[in-house]
Amino acid sequence: MISTSNVTLRVGKKALFEDVNIKFTEGNCYGLIGANGAGKSTFLKILSGQLEPSKGEVIITPGERLSFLQQDHFKYDEYPVLDTVMMGNARLYEIMKEKEVLYAKEDFTDEDGMKASELEAEFAAMNGWEAESDAASLLNGLGIPTEMHYDIMGTLNGPEKVKVLLAQALFGNPDILLLDEPTNHLDLDAIAWLEEFLINFNNTVIVVSHDRYFLNKVCTQIADIDYGKIKLYAGNYDFWYESSQLLIRQMKEANKKKEEKIKELQEFISRFSANASKSKQATSRKRALEKIQLDDIQPSSRKYPYIDFRPNREIGNEVLTVEGLSKTIDGEKVLDNLSFTLNHDDKVAFVGSNELAKTTLFQILAGEMEPDEGTYKWGITTSQAYFPLDSGNEFNNDYTIVEWLTQYSEEKDVTYVRGFLGRMLFSGDDGVKKVSVLSGGEKVRCLLSKMMISGANVLILDEPTNHLDMESITALNNGMIKFPGVLLFSSRDHQIVQTTANRIMEIVPGGKLIDKITTYDEYLESDEMARKRQTYTVQEEDN
């Protein structure tokens, strides 16, 4: 169990948390949620001991081991992958290294023998003999194949490092597990594996995530941070949302009834307070009026943008024809003879672990890259807007936000342009902020403003939820559902894929395409998907 007693954290004069008293118990998975800047990651750092609170303390049951997801992706660059995972249990790894040193000694003494015996006993008690196989199992589950287990961490790419560090946090059955955005950079298969792991994990988990589907799958309780306080709700994310909205509605309805009663009492008092025959009744109503207290409905710190993609023209029947498209990058064939046709009501989700293939296809269709072979043709009624995976070049300039968006608008009126920015929560002086200094989330909101102002009837979105908070992801999800045009998109957000897509395409290893008219959940459950996964598993085992 882990709890806090009067934890307060001040940043300058501002209190990020004020006298937080909360208890996280064994057997529960807590989803820690709140608006951007509410302090979710900061609170996890306080719980893990990485950050000292200004006041108060964190209390952990004696003898319990706490593990957290490391955020420094370069910390273990000199170590082998398997060793990095086993470092998740620091004492166990320390014993392993002590044993290696002892047994390597040429002059092994009786004292060394006694020490080795003590270490072996402790090692066995910690299930040390299963350490390597347990670490390997975690890595394989997250998509790091066996042949990479002895590679040096520095040779891995970013997403691969994230998976290894996640395996490190999970290793050794920690009593308390803290996970800050564990699904970032994970493919949907790895996320599904992590969901099952946490569902079957019997100890205490506290997780920060912007993935609503993930929170719904794994969480038994929600810890909501708002205005420096943390309040617990039983149930998953959807239950929290419905409960919190219901509570607000009930309080508003109760206040409305109270206000009507107050008005009725005030009118009676005003009419009859000077009337001798009614004076007792008026006095009684004054007392009743004094007892009525309106509920204090504090507004949430959450802010939802308004995302509404409205095409300037209706799309025709001919949308896109792709024939024999192939592309090789750095010696790897990422697209191999792809052919498909899009219809005017298609909303296509590109899924699977081949991130490079999806991004390459999107870049080709957006006109930013040439294929090695094959052709593609957009219909004459179509207009496209593209949300790239890497938007760095978009903001390497000296424009203000208003100037930046104006260049993409047919209507150059500043008020018109500011209207689109206002929908995305840029108001007042935000308009004169330089785009070069924007945060990741602000840049994404700028790009979505650009897509809205374009009036395009075909949207291509490559992982648009990266850097967005929960409120913006919800708004984007709603905007994609309502969009009357054609969508081509990739997203690690399961809920967006499931609620938006009516067609699923997966570019599998080797660059071939699986194309199904179906929902995402139905696709995952299909016999073909099961056979495909089994085939890949056998291939990995053969290797």
Side-chain angles (χ1 to χ4, degrees):
M1 185 185 77
I2 182 170
S3 61
T4 65
S5 175
N6 297 318
V7 163
T8 298
L9 180 68
R10 294 190 176 277
V11 181
K13 293 183 179 180
K14 179 184 176 183
L16 193 58
F17 303 110
E18 190 79 52
D19 292 326
V20 172
N21 295 285
I22 194 167
K23 183 185 295 183
F24 302 100
T25 58
E26 183 181 0
N28 283 304
C29 179
Y30 298 86
L32 188 62
I33 64 171
N36 265 7
K40 300 181 292 291
S41 296
T42 302
F43 189 69
L44 283 191
K45 288 179 180 178
I46 291 174
L47 293 179
S48 66
Q50 299 174 80
L51 185 65
E52 284 290 324
S54 307
K55 189 183 78 171
E57 61 178 336
V58 175
I59 304 155
I60 298 176
T61 302
E64 292 196 346
R65 184 170 71 85
L66 181 145
S67 179
F68 60 90
L69 177 58
Q70 296 279 356
Q71 300 297 318
D72 183 353
H73 296 175
F74 305 99
K75 184 175 181 179
Y76 302 94
D77 274 1
E78 298 177 3
Y79 296 93
V81 167
L82 202 63
D83 279 36
T84 301
V85 175
M86 292 187 291
M87 286 178 188
N89 189 333
R91 177 55 188 158
L92 177 62
Y93 189 74
E94 182 184 350
I95 292 171
M96 293 171 68
K97 291 305 170 185
E98 284 188 48
K99 284 171 56 183
E100 286 180 14
V101 172
L102 272 177
Y103 292 137
K105 292 179 70 172
E106 294 182 3
D107 53 340
F108 194 83
T109 65
D110 289 344
E111 185 179 342
D112 291 331
M114 292 179 63
K115 179 64 174 176
S117 177
E118 292 172 2
L119 291 174
E120 290 290 3
E122 190 176 356
F123 184 71
M126 298 176 75
N127 293 323
W129 296 111
E130 287 80 39
E132 288 198 13
S133 61
D134 289 347
S137 178
L138 290 170
L139 289 168
N140 289 332
L142 288 166
I144 301 295
T146 304
E147 58 267 24
M148 292 178 62
H149 292 186
Y150 296 94
D151 291 351
I152 299 301
M153 282 287 287
T155 65
L156 273 58
N157 62 32
E160 289 166 345
K161 285 183 178 180
V162 169
K163 290 180 177 181
V164 176
L165 293 176
L166 180 55
Q168 180 193 74
L170 304 178
F171 177 73
N173 194 38
D175 300 289
I176 301 161
L177 179 60
L178 309 180
L179 300 174
D180 191 357
E181 296 292 356
T183 62
N184 277 5
H185 307 293
L186 293 188
D187 55 74
L188 290 169
D189 286 342
I191 293 172
W193 180 89
L194 178 60
E195 288 167 357
E196 289 304 312
F197 181 94
L198 294 179
I199 287 170
N200 295 307
F201 188 73
N202 294 321
N203 298 333
T204 305
V205 183
I206 306 171
V207 59
V208 171
S209 177
H210 289 143
D211 188 329
R212 298 159 297 164
Y213 181 87
F214 177 76
L215 292 177
N216 280 329
K217 285 278 284 188
V218 305
C219 290
T220 58
Q221 297 201 43
I222 295 295
D224 179 29
I225 302 179
D226 214 351
Y227 290 105
K229 300 294 182 182
I230 305 180
K231 185 175 181 180
L232 285 179
Y233 293 81
N236 62 15
Y237 177 79
D238 278 352
F239 190 83
W240 162 81
Y241 184 79
E242 293 299 328
S243 298
S244 59
Q245 294 302 304
L246 176 61
L247 179 61
I248 291 172
R249 285 197 299 271
Q250 288 175 336
M251 290 174 70
K252 287 182 176 178
E253 288 172 3
N255 273 356
K256 185 178 179 180
K257 291 179 180 178
K258 289 177 182 177
E259 286 168 351
E260 290 172 353
K261 185 64 176 178
I262 288 170
K263 184 179 179 181
E264 177 188 324
L265 292 171
Q266 287 174 336
E267 287 178 351
F268 185 93
I269 294 166
S270 176
R271 286 175 59 193
F272 298 110
S273 58
N275 187 319
S277 64
K278 299 280 188 177
S279 62
K280 285 187 178 182
Q281 294 179 43
T283 301
S284 174
R285 280 165 172 72
K286 282 182 182 179
R287 294 196 190 101
L289 182 60
E290 290 170 357
K291 292 178 181 179
I292 298 176
Q293 297 291 326
L294 294 177
D295 292 323
D296 182 17
I297 305 176
Q298 188 175 30
S300 172
S301 58
R302 292 176 172 83
K303 294 182 179 179
Y304 289 83
Y306 179 67
I307 298 177
D308 187 19
F309 304 110
R310 295 186 182 182
N312 290 335
R313 64 181 297 184
E314 189 175 343
I315 202 166
N317 290 326
E318 293 184 7
V319 179
L320 174 66
T321 302
V322 174
E323 295 183 351
L325 215 62
S326 296
K327 185 69 179 181
T328 298
I329 296 179
D330 295 332
E332 177 187 354
K333 197 156 196 175
V334 294
L335 304 176
D336 185 9
N337 196 32
L338 264 61
S339 297
F340 60 88
T341 301
L342 289 189
N343 302 310
H344 72 278
D345 57 353
D346 278 343
K347 288 182 167 58
V348 186
F350 287 80
V351 303
S353 60
N354 201 338
E355 303 291 339
L356 179 59
K358 290 180 279 188
T359 295
T360 300
L361 177 61
F362 289 161
Q363 288 178 323
I364 290 172
L365 297 180
E368 296 192 354
M369 181 185 291
E370 290 294 324
D372 296 335
E373 299 173 14
T375 62
Y376 68 93
K377 183 180 179 181
W378 289 104
I380 59 173
T381 63
T382 65
S383 56
Q384 302 84 40
Y386 174 46
F387 184 105
L389 181 65
D390 182 2
S391 60
N393 291 333
E394 283 271 11
F395 302 100
N396 288 336
N397 52 68
D398 201 39
Y399 286 135
T400 65
I401 296 178
V402 170
E403 291 168 342
W404 179 86
L405 186 58
T406 300
Q407 66 180 323
Y408 299 111
S409 174
E410 292 184 8
E411 174 61 63
K412 303 300 181 182
D413 179 68
V414 172
T415 303
Y416 176 80
V417 173
R418 279 186 176 273
F420 284 88
L421 291 172
R423 296 178 192 176
M424 298 306 296
L425 307 181
F426 294 109
S427 59
D429 293 339
D430 287 338
V432 297
K433 186 186 292 186
K434 299 289 186 181
V435 295
S436 57
V437 301
L438 297 179
S439 68
E442 288 172 327
K443 288 177 180 177
V444 171
R445 287 189 277 124
C446 278
L447 289 170
L448 293 173
S449 298
K450 174 186 172 183
M451 298 190 84
M452 285 194 292
I453 211 169
S454 73
N457 53 25
V458 178
L459 304 182
I460 305 172
L461 301 108
D462 195 354
E463 298 295 342
T465 63
N466 288 354
H467 306 293
L468 288 183
D469 59 19
M470 194 91 74
E471 293 72 39
S472 297
I473 291 172
T474 300
L476 174 61
N477 195 169
N478 293 336
M480 291 172 69
I481 291 171
K482 291 188 300 182
F483 179 58
V486 169
L487 282 175
L488 295 87
F489 69 97
S490 65
S491 176
R492 296 185 183 90
D493 189 295
H494 186 119
Q495 192 162 332
I496 282 183
V497 178
Q498 171 60 20
T499 58
T500 303
N502 56 23
R503 185 173 177 180
I504 303 296
M505 292 189 187
E506 179 173 4
I507 306 171
V508 298
K512 296 294 186 180
L513 183 71
I514 295 174
D515 181 4
K516 290 288 183 180
I517 307 293
T518 182
T519 66
Y520 182 54
D521 284 348
E522 289 170 343
Y523 180 71
L524 291 177
E525 294 168 1
S526 69
D527 291 337
E528 182 176 353
M529 190 68 175
R531 287 197 301 273
K532 178 173 73 67
R533 289 169 184 270
Q534 185 178 11
T535 300
Y536 290 156
T537 301
V538 170
Q539 287 174 349
E540 288 181 3
E541 290 173 351
D542 289 344
N543 290 335

